[in-house]
Amino acid sequence: MDQLNQAEGDRVAVPEWPRLLHLALRQQLDHEIAVDRPYVGQRILIDRTVHNWKDATVTEKRAVYGLYHECLQQHGSILTVGNDEYMLLSYEVPNQGNHRGRRADLLGMNKDGGLVVFEAKVAGNAYGPVAALLEGLDYLSTLSGAANFARIQEELPRLISSIQNAGHPISDKFQNASLLAEARCEVIVLGTPEYFEQYNSTLRGAGWQDLSRLSSFGTHVQFRFARCGISDSGAYSNAVAWCH
């Protein structure tokens, strides 16, 4: 009741149930980070510069891989969403135990030094926007655990050197960037217009905009949703916009 009665954002515009769900997600995220389930493999930040993304046959993977390599080769590893910029680090990022299937679609960092998990979805995916958000939060919670985060901090300079040695300069905006445990993290559901239309036309897809709006008020993690199309090559278009 105390949480429902707090003046956090616009209480008139946001239903009560997303506010309670947002609180529960924040508390569970803190718990999962504290549990700390480190990855046991050799690398978390795997160097993807030499990977041939066009070999991917799964639509979502091809879309993510292609976007990463376009940003790598043409934009100094920077993805721009609206007025926000992110440095893309790697894709298919392992994060927990020895589970090969538990991989974040795309991992980046924001200008504040916070980790950013991108969860990719295209039309026909069985996970709606809120379920996709939970998937991204699951990955973020393990990547933000003390052991994994320390490894990512340690591996980041090596990854940047590998990218630069492969002939891909890093944007000046992130040349001296460093990951900070206290920085605000983000989970971004990256979907095609058709994906969002698929769920916006049903009650199952209702409420995700409210979760996104609530997370913008003074929390350690922001939930965000972004829209982009797929190019003829099968990659996500670099023209990415926030869903409002």
Side-chain angles (χ1 to χ4, degrees), residues 71 78-86 238-241:
C71 293
I78 303 304
L79 173 65
T80 301
V81 186
N83 294 323
D84 299 299
E85 293 180 316
Y86 302 92
N238 196 48
V240 186

Side-chain angles (χ1 to χ4, degrees), residues 22-151:
H22 180 249
L23 173 64
L25 290 176
R26 285 166 51 185
Q27 291 178 336
Q28 186 64 25
L29 179 65
D30 290 341
H31 169 73
E32 295 296 332
I33 291 173
V35 169
D36 199 13
R37 300 182 179 89
Y39 179 61
V40 298
Q42 185 176 8
R43 291 277 186 274
I44 295 178
L45 295 182
I46 300 171
D47 180 4
R48 302 294 190 184
T49 56
V50 297
H51 183 247
N52 185 0
W53 66 271
K54 293 183 179 179
D55 289 340
T57 56
V58 178
T59 302
E60 286 173 356
K61 293 183 183 299
R62 188 177 178 92
V64 168
Y65 301 174
L67 176 62
Y68 174 87
H69 284 278
E70 178 183 343
C71 293
L72 175 76
Q73 296 166 9
Q74 301 181 28
H75 304 286
S77 290
I78 303 304
L79 173 65
T80 301
V81 186
N83 294 323
D84 299 299
E85 293 180 316
Y86 302 92
M87 178 182 171
L88 300 185
L89 302 176
S90 187
Y91 53 79
E92 290 292 316
V93 180
N95 57 87
Q96 187 176 133
N98 59 356
H99 297 285
R100 291 174 178 254
R102 297 179 63 85
R103 292 173 177 257
D105 289 338
L106 184 63
L107 184 68
M109 61 184 295
N110 56 35
K111 285 186 173 180
D112 295 329
L115 279 178
V116 182
V117 170
F118 295 85
E119 183 58 37
K121 299 298 174 194
V122 299
N125 192 290
Y127 281 13
V130 174
L133 173 65
L134 293 178
E135 192 176 3
L137 284 169
D138 182 29
Y139 298 141
L140 179 66
S141 70
T142 52
L143 290 168
S144 299
N148 278 344
F149 193 83
R151 284 184 60 180

Side-chain angles (χ1 to χ4, degrees), residues 192-212:
T192 61
E194 295 80 10
Y195 167 77
F196 287 110
E197 288 167 9
Q198 169 187 345
Y199 286 100
N200 286 344
S201 63
T202 68
L203 287 177
R204 182 183 171 194
W208 58 267
Q209 298 96 330
D210 295 317
L211 282 174
S212 179

